[in-house]
Amino acid sequence: METAAREAMAQGALLALLFAWNEHQPPGIKADRVTVTLHIDDGVTYSEVTYWAGDHAIGGEGF
């Protein structure tokens, strides 16, 4: 698979996360970007998602 195709799929997944999170927030609480961080500890992978409004983290979840 080409790099451009992988990047497009990743962007689509991040946009889906952002849209789904914003749909379940009260009025006035909307994120404009999302970041995903992967941590590997003793062979176990953890993910952390953070939702941002400007330069401020306004929510997140780990799994």
Side-chain angles (χ1 to χ4, degrees):
M1 182 178 288
E2 293 183 26
T3 301
R6 284 190 207 118
E7 289 175 1
M9 289 177 10
Q11 286 177 343
L14 291 173
L15 286 173
L17 276 173
L18 185 62
F19 179 78
W21 193 81
N22 279 336
E23 284 292 302
H24 295 93
Q25 299 309 306
I29 306 289
K30 299 293 180 197
D32 56 15
R33 64 189 167 103
V34 60
T35 58
V36 176
T37 307
L38 300 174
H39 305 279
I40 300 174
D41 186 18
D42 292 329
V44 179
T45 303
Y46 301 94
S47 301
E48 183 178 348
V49 179
T50 306
Y51 300 94
W52 302 84
D55 292 333
H56 303 285
I58 59 172
E61 55 192 312
F63 48 94

